[in-house]
Amino acid sequence: LLNDAIALHRSGRLGEAMTAYRAVLDLLPGHSDALHLLGLTEHQLGHHAQAEEHITAALRIDPDFPAAWNHLGLVRQALDRPDLAHGCFSRAIALRPDFPEAMTHMGLSLKQPDRSDEAKRWHRRSIRLAPANPAAHTNLGYVCEIEGQFEAAAGHYRRALTLRPDSADTLNNLGTLAKMADRPALCRHFLDRALRVVPGLPLAAWNVGLLALADGDLATGWAGYGRRFSARQLQRARRIALPVWNGEPLHGRRLLVWPEQGLGDEILFASVFGDLKDSGGTVVLECDPRLVSLYARAFPWATVRAESVTADGKERFDPPDCDLQIAAGSLPALRRDRLERFPARPSFLTADPERAAFWRGRVDALGPGLKVGISWRSQIVTAHREGAYTRIADWLPLLEVPGVRVVNLQYGDCTAELASIEPGNVRRVHRWDDLDLKNDLEGVAALMAALDLVILPATAAGELAGALGVPVWRLGSRDWTWMGSGVRPWFPTQRLIAPQPGETSADVVRRIARMLARMVPNPIPDGV
Protein backbone atom coordinates (compact mmCIF):
# COMPACT_ATOMS: atom_id res chain seq x y z
CA LEU A 1 0.00 0.00 0.00
CA LEU A 2 2.79 2.42 0.87
CA ASN A 3 4.60 1.74 -2.41
CA ASP A 4 1.37 2.34 -4.33
CA ALA A 5 0.86 5.63 -2.47
CA ILE A 6 4.41 6.76 -3.24
CA ALA A 7 3.93 5.94 -6.94
CA LEU A 8 0.75 8.04 -7.02
CA HIS A 9 2.56 10.84 -5.19
CA ARG A 10 5.46 10.85 -7.65
CA SER A 11 3.10 10.92 -10.62
CA GLY A 12 1.44 14.09 -9.26
CA ARG A 13 -1.85 12.43 -8.34
CA LEU A 14 -1.80 14.03 -4.92
CA GLY A 15 -5.43 13.48 -3.94
CA GLU A 16 -5.23 9.76 -4.67
CA ALA A 17 -1.88 9.57 -2.87
CA MET A 18 -3.42 11.08 0.27
CA THR A 19 -6.18 8.46 0.18
CA ALA A 20 -3.57 5.71 -0.17
CA TYR A 21 -1.44 7.04 2.71
CA ARG A 22 -4.54 7.13 4.90
CA ALA A 23 -5.25 3.51 3.98
CA VAL A 24 -1.81 2.60 5.33
CA LEU A 25 -2.54 4.53 8.53
CA ASP A 26 -5.90 2.76 8.92
CA LEU A 27 -3.95 -0.48 9.17
CA LEU A 28 -0.99 0.90 11.16
CA PRO A 29 -1.72 4.31 12.74
CA GLY A 30 1.87 4.68 13.94
CA HIS A 31 3.54 4.24 10.53
CA SER A 32 6.04 7.13 10.53
CA ASP A 33 6.72 7.00 6.76
CA ALA A 34 3.02 7.23 5.93
CA LEU A 35 2.47 10.06 8.42
CA HIS A 36 5.47 11.97 7.04
CA LEU A 37 4.49 11.53 3.39
CA LEU A 38 0.83 12.32 4.07
CA GLY A 39 2.00 15.55 5.67
CA LEU A 40 4.28 16.33 2.72
CA THR A 41 1.38 15.80 0.31
CA GLU A 42 -0.84 18.10 2.37
CA HIS A 43 1.90 20.74 2.32
CA GLN A 44 2.13 20.49 -1.46
CA LEU A 45 -1.64 21.01 -1.65
CA GLY A 46 -1.42 24.09 0.60
CA HIS A 47 -2.91 22.45 3.71
CA HIS A 48 -0.02 23.53 5.92
CA ALA A 49 -1.65 23.21 9.36
CA GLN A 50 -2.64 19.57 8.70
CA ALA A 51 0.80 18.92 7.22
CA GLU A 52 2.47 20.18 10.40
CA GLU A 53 0.24 17.96 12.51
CA HIS A 54 1.06 14.78 10.56
CA ILE A 55 4.81 15.37 10.16
CA THR A 56 5.09 16.24 13.85
CA ALA A 57 3.31 12.98 14.65
CA ALA A 58 5.83 11.10 12.49
CA LEU A 59 8.71 12.74 14.39
CA ARG A 60 7.21 11.78 17.74
CA ILE A 61 7.44 8.17 16.59
CA ASP A 62 10.87 8.53 14.94
CA PRO A 63 12.69 11.67 16.16
CA ASP A 64 15.83 10.80 14.14
CA PHE A 65 14.13 11.19 10.75
CA PRO A 66 16.11 13.81 8.76
CA ALA A 67 13.75 13.99 5.74
CA ALA A 68 10.78 14.62 8.03
CA TRP A 69 12.67 17.41 9.84
CA ASN A 70 13.54 18.98 6.49
CA HIS A 71 9.94 18.90 5.31
CA LEU A 72 8.65 20.16 8.66
CA GLY A 73 10.95 23.15 8.13
CA LEU A 74 9.32 23.83 4.75
CA VAL A 75 5.87 23.59 6.32
CA ARG A 76 6.80 26.02 9.07
CA GLN A 77 8.21 28.44 6.52
CA ALA A 78 4.84 28.32 4.76
CA LEU A 79 3.18 29.00 8.12
CA ASP A 80 5.44 32.07 8.54
CA ARG A 81 7.40 30.65 11.48
CA PRO A 82 10.96 31.29 10.31
CA ASP A 83 12.72 30.62 13.61
CA LEU A 84 11.06 27.22 14.00
CA ALA A 85 11.81 26.41 10.35
CA HIS A 86 15.49 27.24 10.84
CA GLY A 87 15.62 24.87 13.82
CA CYS A 88 14.08 22.08 11.74
CA PHE A 89 16.70 22.42 9.00
CA SER A 90 19.47 22.49 11.61
CA ARG A 91 18.15 19.25 13.11
CA ALA A 92 17.93 17.60 9.69
CA ILE A 93 21.57 18.49 8.90
CA ALA A 94 22.76 17.37 12.34
CA LEU A 95 21.18 13.96 11.71
CA ARG A 96 22.48 13.79 8.12
CA PRO A 97 25.54 15.99 7.52
CA ASP A 98 25.49 15.29 3.74
CA PHE A 99 21.90 16.44 3.20
CA PRO A 100 22.02 18.92 0.25
CA GLU A 101 18.29 19.72 0.17
CA ALA A 102 18.25 20.70 3.85
CA MET A 103 21.36 22.82 3.31
CA THR A 104 19.83 24.94 0.58
CA HIS A 105 16.63 25.23 2.62
CA MET A 106 18.79 26.40 5.52
CA GLY A 107 20.24 29.05 3.21
CA LEU A 108 16.76 30.19 2.25
CA SER A 109 15.80 30.53 5.90
CA LEU A 110 18.57 33.12 6.47
CA LYS A 111 16.71 36.12 5.07
CA GLN A 112 18.30 38.84 7.18
CA PRO A 113 20.53 41.12 5.05
CA ASP A 114 23.45 40.67 7.43
CA ARG A 115 23.32 36.88 7.00
CA SER A 116 23.52 36.71 3.22
CA ASP A 117 27.14 35.47 3.26
CA GLU A 118 26.10 32.63 5.55
CA ALA A 119 23.16 31.83 3.28
CA LYS A 120 25.46 31.66 0.24
CA ARG A 121 27.78 29.28 2.09
CA TRP A 122 24.90 26.88 2.72
CA HIS A 123 23.80 27.01 -0.92
CA ARG A 124 27.36 26.38 -2.12
CA ARG A 125 27.71 23.42 0.26
CA SER A 126 24.51 22.03 -1.19
CA ILE A 127 25.82 22.48 -4.75
CA ARG A 128 29.10 20.74 -3.90
CA LEU A 129 27.16 17.71 -2.66
CA ALA A 130 24.57 17.76 -5.46
CA PRO A 131 25.85 19.87 -8.40
CA ALA A 132 22.92 18.81 -10.60
CA ASN A 133 20.28 20.15 -8.19
CA PRO A 134 18.73 23.15 -10.00
CA ALA A 135 16.96 24.47 -6.87
CA ALA A 136 20.28 25.11 -5.12
CA HIS A 137 21.58 27.12 -8.11
CA THR A 138 18.34 29.12 -8.20
CA ASN A 139 18.50 29.78 -4.47
CA LEU A 140 22.12 30.92 -4.68
CA GLY A 141 21.16 33.21 -7.55
CA TYR A 142 18.39 34.73 -5.47
CA VAL A 143 20.77 35.65 -2.63
CA CYS A 144 23.09 37.28 -5.19
CA GLU A 145 20.13 39.18 -6.62
CA ILE A 146 19.14 40.49 -3.17
CA GLU A 147 22.73 41.66 -2.68
CA GLY A 148 22.63 43.55 -5.98
CA GLN A 149 25.01 41.15 -7.76
CA PHE A 150 22.70 40.91 -10.75
CA GLU A 151 25.16 39.44 -13.26
CA ALA A 152 26.16 36.71 -10.82
CA ALA A 153 22.48 36.03 -10.11
CA ALA A 154 21.70 35.69 -13.82
CA GLY A 155 24.58 33.24 -14.18
CA HIS A 156 23.25 31.01 -11.40
CA TYR A 157 19.72 31.19 -12.81
CA ARG A 158 20.95 30.21 -16.26
CA ARG A 159 22.83 27.26 -14.76
CA ALA A 160 19.65 26.17 -12.99
CA LEU A 161 17.71 26.51 -16.23
CA THR A 162 20.26 24.35 -18.06
CA LEU A 163 19.69 21.64 -15.47
CA ARG A 164 15.92 22.04 -15.51
CA PRO A 165 14.56 23.96 -18.51
CA ASP A 166 10.99 23.72 -17.19
CA SER A 167 11.65 25.46 -13.85
CA ALA A 168 8.92 28.08 -13.65
CA ASP A 169 10.48 29.76 -10.61
CA THR A 170 13.83 30.17 -12.36
CA LEU A 171 12.17 31.54 -15.49
CA ASN A 172 10.27 34.04 -13.36
CA ASN A 173 13.49 35.11 -11.64
CA LEU A 174 15.17 35.71 -14.99
CA GLY A 175 12.12 37.75 -15.99
CA THR A 176 12.48 39.85 -12.85
CA LEU A 177 16.13 40.58 -13.66
CA ALA A 178 15.16 41.57 -17.21
CA LYS A 179 12.49 43.92 -15.84
CA MET A 180 15.03 45.62 -13.56
CA ALA A 181 17.34 46.00 -16.55
CA ASP A 182 14.50 47.76 -18.40
CA ARG A 183 14.22 45.02 -21.02
CA PRO A 184 10.44 44.47 -21.11
CA ALA A 185 10.46 42.22 -24.19
CA LEU A 186 12.94 39.81 -22.61
CA CYS A 187 11.01 39.99 -19.34
CA ARG A 188 7.79 38.96 -21.11
CA HIS A 189 9.64 36.13 -22.87
CA PHE A 190 10.71 34.55 -19.57
CA LEU A 191 7.39 35.19 -17.84
CA ASP A 192 5.42 33.68 -20.73
CA ARG A 193 7.64 30.59 -20.56
CA ALA A 194 7.09 30.35 -16.80
CA LEU A 195 3.31 30.54 -17.23
CA ARG A 196 3.38 27.88 -19.95
CA VAL A 197 5.12 25.58 -17.50
CA VAL A 198 2.87 26.43 -14.53
CA PRO A 199 -0.28 28.21 -15.74
CA GLY A 200 -1.32 30.78 -13.19
CA LEU A 201 2.00 30.79 -11.28
CA PRO A 202 1.21 33.65 -8.84
CA LEU A 203 4.55 35.45 -8.88
CA ALA A 204 4.83 35.32 -12.68
CA ALA A 205 1.18 36.36 -13.09
CA TRP A 206 1.81 39.31 -10.76
CA ASN A 207 4.86 40.37 -12.78
CA VAL A 208 2.86 40.12 -16.01
CA GLY A 209 0.21 42.27 -14.35
CA LEU A 210 2.76 44.98 -13.55
CA LEU A 211 3.95 44.99 -17.17
CA ALA A 212 0.37 45.31 -18.39
CA LEU A 213 -0.36 48.18 -15.99
CA ALA A 214 2.79 49.94 -17.14
CA ASP A 215 1.50 49.63 -20.72
CA GLY A 216 -1.93 51.00 -19.82
CA ASP A 217 -3.70 47.63 -20.19
CA LEU A 218 -5.55 48.03 -16.92
CA ALA A 219 -7.94 45.08 -17.20
CA THR A 220 -5.11 42.57 -17.69
CA GLY A 221 -2.91 44.42 -15.24
CA TRP A 222 -5.30 44.45 -12.31
CA ALA A 223 -6.05 40.76 -12.82
CA GLY A 224 -2.34 39.99 -12.45
CA TYR A 225 -1.92 42.42 -9.57
CA GLY A 226 -4.69 40.55 -7.77
CA ARG A 227 -2.40 37.52 -7.49
CA ARG A 228 -0.07 39.26 -5.04
CA PHE A 229 -1.49 37.50 -1.98
CA SER A 230 -1.11 34.10 -3.65
CA ALA A 231 2.62 34.66 -4.14
CA ARG A 232 4.13 33.87 -0.74
CA GLN A 233 7.27 35.84 -1.63
CA LEU A 234 5.33 39.11 -1.92
CA GLN A 235 3.04 39.60 1.06
CA ARG A 236 0.48 37.97 3.29
CA ALA A 237 -3.20 38.72 3.23
CA ARG A 238 -4.86 39.37 6.54
CA ARG A 239 -6.85 36.41 7.82
CA ILE A 240 -10.22 38.11 8.29
CA ALA A 241 -13.18 35.75 8.58
CA LEU A 242 -15.35 37.82 6.24
CA PRO A 243 -16.31 37.54 2.57
CA VAL A 244 -14.42 39.76 0.14
CA TRP A 245 -16.36 42.71 -1.25
CA ASN A 246 -16.70 42.69 -5.05
CA GLY A 247 -17.97 46.23 -5.54
CA GLU A 248 -21.71 45.56 -5.26
CA PRO A 249 -24.00 47.96 -3.30
CA LEU A 250 -23.63 47.44 0.43
CA HIS A 251 -27.37 47.62 1.23
CA GLY A 252 -26.72 48.76 4.77
CA ARG A 253 -23.84 46.41 5.45
CA ARG A 254 -20.52 47.41 7.03
CA LEU A 255 -17.39 47.25 4.84
CA LEU A 256 -13.84 47.04 6.19
CA VAL A 257 -11.07 48.43 3.94
CA TRP A 258 -7.67 47.42 5.28
CA PRO A 259 -4.20 48.71 4.34
CA GLU A 260 -1.37 46.78 2.73
CA GLN A 261 2.26 47.26 1.78
CA GLY A 262 4.12 50.42 2.83
CA LEU A 263 3.04 53.92 3.79
CA GLY A 264 3.42 55.27 0.26
CA ASP A 265 1.20 52.51 -1.14
CA GLU A 266 -1.39 53.21 1.55
CA ILE A 267 -1.60 56.83 0.41
CA LEU A 268 -1.67 55.82 -3.28
CA PHE A 269 -4.62 53.46 -2.77
CA ALA A 270 -6.39 55.95 -0.49
CA SER A 271 -6.95 58.05 -3.62
CA VAL A 272 -9.79 55.60 -4.39
CA PHE A 273 -11.53 55.92 -1.01
CA GLY A 274 -13.71 58.83 -2.12
CA ASP A 275 -15.51 56.48 -4.53
CA LEU A 276 -16.92 54.53 -1.56
CA LYS A 277 -18.90 57.45 -0.13
CA ASP A 278 -22.21 56.50 -1.74
CA SER A 279 -21.81 52.72 -1.61
CA GLY A 280 -24.99 52.25 0.42
CA GLY A 281 -23.56 51.21 3.78
CA THR A 282 -21.01 51.99 6.44
CA VAL A 283 -17.33 52.09 5.46
CA VAL A 284 -14.53 51.46 7.96
CA LEU A 285 -11.14 52.64 6.74
CA GLU A 286 -8.14 51.22 8.56
CA CYS A 287 -4.70 52.76 8.11
CA ASP A 288 -1.30 53.41 9.62
CA PRO A 289 -1.89 55.27 12.93
CA ARG A 290 0.05 58.26 11.58
CA LEU A 291 -2.61 58.75 8.88
CA VAL A 292 -5.77 58.51 11.00
CA SER A 293 -6.39 62.24 11.51
CA LEU A 294 -5.54 63.08 7.88
CA TYR A 295 -7.98 60.45 6.62
CA ALA A 296 -10.68 61.41 9.13
CA ARG A 297 -10.59 64.97 7.77
CA ALA A 298 -10.58 63.81 4.13
CA PHE A 299 -13.29 61.13 4.50
CA PRO A 300 -15.68 62.37 7.21
CA TRP A 301 -18.42 60.02 5.98
CA ALA A 302 -16.34 56.96 6.99
CA THR A 303 -15.16 55.49 10.27
CA VAL A 304 -11.37 55.86 10.28
CA ARG A 305 -9.23 53.90 12.72
CA ALA A 306 -5.73 52.49 13.11
CA GLU A 307 -5.07 49.07 11.62
CA SER A 308 -6.64 46.45 13.91
CA VAL A 309 -4.07 43.69 13.53
CA THR A 310 -1.24 42.81 15.92
CA ALA A 311 2.43 42.54 14.97
CA ASP A 312 2.11 38.74 14.79
CA GLY A 313 -0.86 38.94 12.41
CA LYS A 314 -3.74 38.37 14.84
CA GLU A 315 -6.98 40.27 14.36
CA ARG A 316 -7.97 42.45 17.31
CA PHE A 317 -11.68 42.14 16.48
CA ASP A 318 -12.71 38.50 16.91
CA PRO A 319 -15.36 38.09 15.68
CA PRO A 320 -15.00 40.91 13.12
CA ASP A 321 -17.17 43.99 13.58
CA CYS A 322 -17.90 44.31 9.84
CA ASP A 323 -19.81 42.28 7.23
CA LEU A 324 -17.43 42.46 4.26
CA GLN A 325 -13.74 43.22 3.74
CA ILE A 326 -11.33 44.22 0.99
CA ALA A 327 -7.64 45.07 0.79
CA ALA A 328 -7.07 48.71 -0.20
CA GLY A 329 -4.89 47.62 -3.13
CA SER A 330 -7.83 45.70 -4.60
CA LEU A 331 -10.04 48.80 -4.87
CA PRO A 332 -8.43 50.15 -8.08
CA ALA A 333 -9.45 47.00 -9.96
CA LEU A 334 -13.06 47.86 -9.09
CA ARG A 335 -12.94 51.64 -9.53
CA ARG A 336 -9.95 52.43 -11.80
CA ASP A 337 -10.31 49.91 -14.60
CA ARG A 338 -9.61 52.57 -17.23
CA LEU A 339 -7.78 55.89 -17.21
CA GLU A 340 -10.97 57.92 -17.65
CA ARG A 341 -12.08 56.79 -14.19
CA PHE A 342 -9.21 58.58 -12.45
CA PRO A 343 -10.78 61.81 -11.16
CA ALA A 344 -9.30 65.08 -12.45
CA ARG A 345 -8.87 66.60 -8.99
CA PRO A 346 -5.65 68.20 -7.77
CA SER A 347 -5.72 66.58 -4.31
CA PHE A 348 -7.73 64.46 -1.88
CA LEU A 349 -5.96 65.21 1.44
CA THR A 350 -5.73 68.56 3.21
CA ALA A 351 -3.46 69.86 5.94
CA ASP A 352 -4.88 70.92 9.29
CA PRO A 353 -5.70 74.65 8.85
CA GLU A 354 -4.14 75.82 12.13
CA ARG A 355 -0.94 73.86 11.65
CA ALA A 356 -0.80 74.93 8.00
CA ALA A 357 -0.93 78.59 9.05
CA PHE A 358 1.81 78.00 11.63
CA TRP A 359 4.10 76.37 9.07
CA ARG A 360 3.31 78.99 6.47
CA GLY A 361 4.68 81.55 8.90
CA ARG A 362 7.82 79.54 9.50
CA VAL A 363 8.47 78.99 5.80
CA ASP A 364 7.81 82.63 4.95
CA ALA A 365 10.36 83.59 7.60
CA LEU A 366 13.05 81.92 5.50
CA GLY A 367 12.94 84.97 3.26
CA PRO A 368 11.94 85.59 -0.35
CA GLY A 369 12.50 83.01 -3.04
CA LEU A 370 11.24 79.65 -4.21
CA LYS A 371 10.63 77.25 -1.27
CA VAL A 372 11.62 73.72 -2.36
CA GLY A 373 11.42 70.60 -0.19
CA ILE A 374 13.81 67.74 -0.91
CA SER A 375 14.31 64.13 0.09
CA TRP A 376 17.03 61.96 -1.39
CA ARG A 377 16.36 58.36 -0.40
CA SER A 378 14.01 55.92 1.25
CA GLN A 379 14.73 54.96 4.84
CA ILE A 380 15.15 51.34 3.70
CA VAL A 381 17.42 51.02 0.67
CA THR A 382 17.75 47.49 -0.71
CA ALA A 383 20.02 46.40 -3.55
CA HIS A 384 16.94 46.22 -5.80
CA ARG A 385 16.08 49.85 -5.11
CA GLU A 386 19.49 51.43 -4.58
CA GLY A 387 19.73 52.74 -8.12
CA ALA A 388 16.48 54.67 -7.67
CA TYR A 389 17.88 56.87 -4.90
CA THR A 390 20.45 59.62 -4.56
CA ARG A 391 23.06 60.77 -2.03
CA ILE A 392 22.87 64.09 -0.26
CA ALA A 393 26.11 65.12 -2.04
CA ASP A 394 24.27 64.80 -5.37
CA TRP A 395 22.08 67.75 -4.31
CA LEU A 396 24.85 70.31 -3.90
CA PRO A 397 24.17 71.97 -7.29
CA LEU A 398 20.56 72.60 -6.28
CA LEU A 399 21.65 74.16 -2.97
CA GLU A 400 23.70 76.69 -4.91
CA VAL A 401 20.84 78.00 -7.09
CA PRO A 402 20.26 81.68 -6.10
CA GLY A 403 16.73 82.46 -5.01
CA VAL A 404 15.91 78.89 -3.93
CA ARG A 405 15.29 78.07 -0.26
CA VAL A 406 15.78 74.33 0.28
CA VAL A 407 13.80 72.59 3.04
CA ASN A 408 14.55 69.12 4.38
CA LEU A 409 11.85 66.44 4.02
CA GLN A 410 14.15 63.44 4.55
CA TYR A 411 12.69 61.36 7.36
CA GLY A 412 14.78 59.15 9.61
CA ASP A 413 18.18 60.00 11.03
CA CYS A 414 20.06 62.01 8.40
CA THR A 415 22.12 64.18 10.74
CA ALA A 416 25.48 62.82 9.56
CA GLU A 417 24.50 63.16 5.90
CA LEU A 418 23.51 66.80 6.29
CA ALA A 419 26.63 67.54 8.34
CA SER A 420 28.74 66.24 5.46
CA ILE A 421 27.55 69.12 3.23
CA GLU A 422 27.27 71.78 5.93
CA PRO A 423 30.74 72.49 7.31
CA GLY A 424 30.79 74.64 10.41
CA ASN A 425 27.15 73.79 11.19
CA VAL A 426 25.95 76.39 8.69
CA ARG A 427 22.55 75.09 7.64
CA ARG A 428 22.20 75.05 3.88
CA VAL A 429 19.12 72.80 4.09
CA HIS A 430 16.50 74.43 6.29
CA ARG A 431 14.92 72.25 8.96
CA TRP A 432 13.24 72.47 12.34
CA ASP A 433 14.30 70.11 15.09
CA ASP A 434 10.85 70.09 16.70
CA LEU A 435 9.23 68.37 13.69
CA ASP A 436 9.40 64.56 13.50
CA LEU A 437 9.36 63.99 9.74
CA LYS A 438 8.71 60.27 10.16
CA ASN A 439 5.96 60.11 12.76
CA ASP A 440 4.19 63.50 12.73
CA LEU A 441 2.53 63.30 9.33
CA GLU A 442 0.10 66.09 10.22
CA GLY A 443 3.08 68.37 10.76
CA VAL A 444 4.73 67.17 7.56
CA ALA A 445 1.53 67.80 5.61
CA ALA A 446 1.29 71.33 7.02
CA LEU A 447 4.92 72.02 6.10
CA MET A 448 4.45 70.64 2.59
CA ALA A 449 1.37 72.81 2.06
CA ALA A 450 3.58 75.87 2.57
CA LEU A 451 6.13 74.84 -0.09
CA ASP A 452 6.18 75.82 -3.74
CA LEU A 453 7.66 72.53 -4.93
CA VAL A 454 8.80 69.13 -3.64
CA ILE A 455 11.60 67.22 -5.39
CA LEU A 456 12.44 63.65 -4.42
CA PRO A 457 12.75 60.07 -5.66
CA ALA A 458 9.98 57.48 -5.14
CA THR A 459 9.22 57.75 -1.41
CA ALA A 460 6.19 57.97 0.86
CA ALA A 461 6.89 61.70 1.26
CA GLY A 462 6.27 62.20 -2.46
CA GLU A 463 2.97 60.34 -2.27
CA LEU A 464 1.86 62.51 0.64
CA ALA A 465 2.82 65.68 -1.23
CA GLY A 466 0.93 64.49 -4.32
CA ALA A 467 -2.14 63.64 -2.22
CA LEU A 468 -2.04 67.21 -0.85
CA GLY A 469 -1.86 68.68 -4.35
CA VAL A 470 1.64 70.12 -3.84
CA PRO A 471 3.68 70.28 -7.09
CA VAL A 472 6.07 67.32 -7.08
CA TRP A 473 9.04 66.50 -9.29
CA ARG A 474 9.57 62.79 -8.89
CA LEU A 475 13.02 61.47 -9.80
CA GLY A 476 13.33 58.06 -11.39
CA SER A 477 12.07 55.88 -14.18
CA ARG A 478 8.50 55.32 -15.25
CA ASP A 479 6.90 52.41 -13.35
CA TRP A 480 3.55 50.62 -13.39
CA THR A 481 1.82 53.41 -11.43
CA TRP A 482 2.03 55.72 -14.47
CA MET A 483 -0.42 53.38 -16.28
CA GLY A 484 1.13 53.99 -19.68
CA SER A 485 0.19 57.67 -19.54
CA GLY A 486 2.25 60.85 -19.67
CA VAL A 487 1.26 61.81 -16.13
CA ARG A 488 0.79 59.86 -12.94
CA PRO A 489 -3.02 59.71 -12.82
CA TRP A 490 -3.18 59.10 -9.06
CA PHE A 491 -1.52 62.45 -8.36
CA PRO A 492 -2.03 65.03 -11.15
CA THR A 493 0.45 67.49 -9.61
CA GLN A 494 3.35 65.04 -9.96
CA ARG A 495 5.83 65.34 -12.81
CA LEU A 496 8.40 62.67 -13.70
CA ILE A 497 12.04 63.70 -14.04
CA ALA A 498 13.51 60.60 -15.67
CA PRO A 499 17.22 60.04 -16.31
CA GLN A 500 18.27 60.49 -19.90
CA PRO A 501 20.52 57.86 -21.52
CA GLY A 502 23.86 57.81 -19.74
CA GLU A 503 22.77 60.14 -16.92
CA THR A 504 23.60 59.34 -13.30
CA SER A 505 21.45 60.45 -10.41
CA ALA A 506 23.89 63.33 -9.82
CA ASP A 507 23.47 64.36 -13.47
CA VAL A 508 19.70 64.43 -13.02
CA VAL A 509 19.96 66.71 -10.00
CA ARG A 510 22.28 69.05 -11.92
CA ARG A 511 19.68 69.20 -14.69
CA ILE A 512 17.00 69.97 -12.11
CA ALA A 513 19.17 72.78 -10.72
CA ARG A 514 19.31 74.34 -14.17
CA MET A 515 15.53 74.03 -14.48
CA LEU A 516 15.07 75.78 -11.14
CA ALA A 517 17.48 78.54 -12.11
CA ARG A 518 15.28 79.30 -15.12
CA MET A 519 12.25 79.50 -12.82
CA VAL A 520 13.93 82.23 -10.74
CA PRO A 521 15.04 84.72 -13.43
CA ASN A 522 15.74 87.56 -10.98
CA PRO A 523 17.11 85.82 -7.90
CA ILE A 524 17.21 87.70 -4.63
CA PRO A 525 20.59 87.42 -2.90
CA ASP A 526 20.71 85.62 0.44
CA GLY A 527 20.43 87.94 3.42
CA VAL A 528 18.27 90.53 1.61
Side-chain angles (χ1 to χ4, degrees), residues 46-302:
H47 307 151
H48 306 306
Q50 299 95 314
E52 183 181 37
E53 178 184 342
H54 285 116
I55 298 177
T56 301
L59 287 166
R60 281 198 296 268
I61 297 163
D62 182 4
D64 297 332
F65 193 164
W69 281 110
N70 178 51
H71 290 141
L72 182 59
L74 293 178
V75 169
R76 285 177 169 167
Q77 276 187 331
L79 290 168
D80 203 18
R81 298 173 188 164
D83 292 339
L84 291 177
H86 185 273
C88 292
F89 300 136
S90 295
R91 180 66 176 151
I93 295 167
L95 291 167
R96 182 181 158 191
D98 62 343
F99 196 167
E101 291 84 0
M103 289 175 180
T104 194
H105 293 154
M106 174 72 91
L108 282 177
S109 73
L110 300 170
K111 295 183 177 179
Q112 304 92 324
D114 60 345
R115 302 190 73 176
S116 60
D117 286 341
E118 185 182 353
K120 287 193 290 187
R121 285 196 295 272
W122 281 112
H123 294 313
R124 289 189 174 113
R125 286 181 63 182
S126 175
I127 289 169
R128 282 197 297 271
L129 288 167
N133 180 10
H137 291 279
T138 296
N139 294 338
L140 178 56
Y142 183 70
V143 179
C144 292
E145 180 184 332
I146 293 299
E147 288 186 327
Q149 301 174 14
F150 300 128
E151 289 188 15
H156 292 302
Y157 292 151
R158 286 193 292 268
R159 175 60 179 155
L161 205 60
T162 300
L163 293 167
R164 186 181 169 188
D166 64 344
S167 172
D169 288 334
T170 305
L171 288 163
N172 175 77
N173 291 350
L174 283 165
T176 300
L177 287 182
K179 182 171 69 174
M180 288 192 295
D182 197 23
R183 301 181 65 186
L186 184 61
C187 176
R188 286 189 179 85
H189 165 76
F190 284 122
L191 295 178
D192 288 345
R193 284 181 62 185
L195 290 168
R196 284 198 296 272
V197 174
V198 181
L201 179 69
L203 197 53
W206 176 77
N207 276 320
V208 168
L210 295 185
L211 290 175
L213 289 172
D215 286 343
D217 180 0
L218 273 56
T220 302
W222 289 128
Y225 194 78
R227 303 301 307 279
R228 64 198 181 283
F229 294 123
S230 302
R232 185 165 55 87
Q233 303 92 323
L234 295 176
Q235 63 182 111
R236 299 278 185 182
R238 278 172 59 175
R239 299 183 179 91
I240 304 173
L242 292 173
V244 175
W245 184 56
N246 294 311
E248 71 278 10
L250 291 177
H251 296 304
R253 292 173 295 178
R254 188 173 167 93
L255 170 66
L256 171 65
V257 182
W258 50 272
E260 54 173 294
Q261 305 177 53
L263 182 69
D265 297 295
E266 280 198 49
I267 297 170
L268 180 88
F269 297 134
S271 66
V272 188
F273 288 172
D275 292 34
L276 306 180
K277 180 179 179 181
D278 299 318
S279 52
T282 302
V283 178
V284 178
L285 303 174
E286 289 194 353
C287 60
D288 186 296
R290 295 171 291 177
L291 292 167
V292 169
S293 57
L294 279 159
Y295 283 8
R297 187 163 53 252
F299 313 113
W301 43 266

Side-chain angles (χ1 to χ4, degrees), residues 231-432:
R232 185 165 55 87
Q233 303 92 323
L234 295 176
Q235 63 182 111
R236 299 278 185 182
R238 278 172 59 175
R239 299 183 179 91
I240 304 173
L242 292 173
V244 175
W245 184 56
N246 294 311
E248 71 278 10
L250 291 177
H251 296 304
R253 292 173 295 178
R254 188 173 167 93
L255 170 66
L256 171 65
V257 182
W258 50 272
E260 54 173 294
Q261 305 177 53
L263 182 69
D265 297 295
E266 280 198 49
I267 297 170
L268 180 88
F269 297 134
S271 66
V272 188
F273 288 172
D275 292 34
L276 306 180
K277 180 179 179 181
D278 299 318
S279 52
T282 302
V283 178
V284 178
L285 303 174
E286 289 194 353
C287 60
D288 186 296
R290 295 171 291 177
L291 292 167
V292 169
S293 57
L294 279 159
Y295 283 8
R297 187 163 53 252
F299 313 113
W301 43 266
T303 298
V304 180
R305 68 190 186 197
E307 189 175 12
S308 60
V309 64
T310 62
D312 58 357
K314 293 181 181 177
E315 294 293 323
R316 289 195 173 94
F317 292 97
D318 188 16
D321 64 347
C322 295
D323 304 301
L324 300 162
Q325 55 94 6
I326 189 170
S330 297
L331 289 173
L334 301 176
R335 294 292 190 265
R336 301 289 185 269
D337 55 347
R338 56 186 186 273
L339 283 175
E340 307 88 77
R341 299 191 70 179
F342 283 83
R345 63 188 174 202
S347 64
F348 61 90
L349 296 183
T350 58
D352 175 76
E354 289 187 11
R355 297 194 71 176
F358 170 78
W359 280 101
R360 170 62 67 185
R362 276 191 162 182
V363 170
D364 286 347
L366 297 178
L370 198 66
K371 312 305 192 304
V372 178
I374 68 165
S375 173
W376 53 93
R377 58 167 172 79
S378 172
Q379 190 170 9
I380 300 174
V381 181
T382 64
H384 280 100
R385 305 171 67 193
E386 187 174 7
Y389 298 116
T390 58
R391 300 169 303 141
I392 184 60
D394 296 336
W395 293 78
L396 285 170
L398 188 142
L399 303 182
E400 295 165 358
V401 177
V404 173
R405 313 287 180 176
V406 179
V407 173
N408 180 48
L409 295 176
Q410 179 61 56
Y411 52 87
D413 185 6
C414 57
T415 305
E417 292 169 279
L418 289 168
S420 70
I421 63 163
E422 296 178 334
N425 294 322
V426 177
R427 292 197 172 188
R428 306 179 68 189
V429 179
H430 299 286
R431 52 198 181 275
W432 295 267

Side-chain angles (χ1 to χ4, degrees), residues 421-475:
I421 63 163
E422 296 178 334
N425 294 322
V426 177
R427 292 197 172 188
R428 306 179 68 189
V429 179
H430 299 286
R431 52 198 181 275
W432 295 267
D433 296 335
D434 58 349
L435 176 59
D436 184 341
L437 290 167
K438 180 178 179 181
N439 296 308
D440 183 6
L441 294 188
E442 280 281 16
V444 175
L447 169 59
M448 286 178 170
L451 299 175
D452 299 305
L453 176 65
V454 169
I455 308 175
L456 33 59
T459 67
E463 308 298 62
L464 179 58
L468 292 162
V470 177
V472 178
W473 290 0
R474 176 176 159 126
L475 282 63

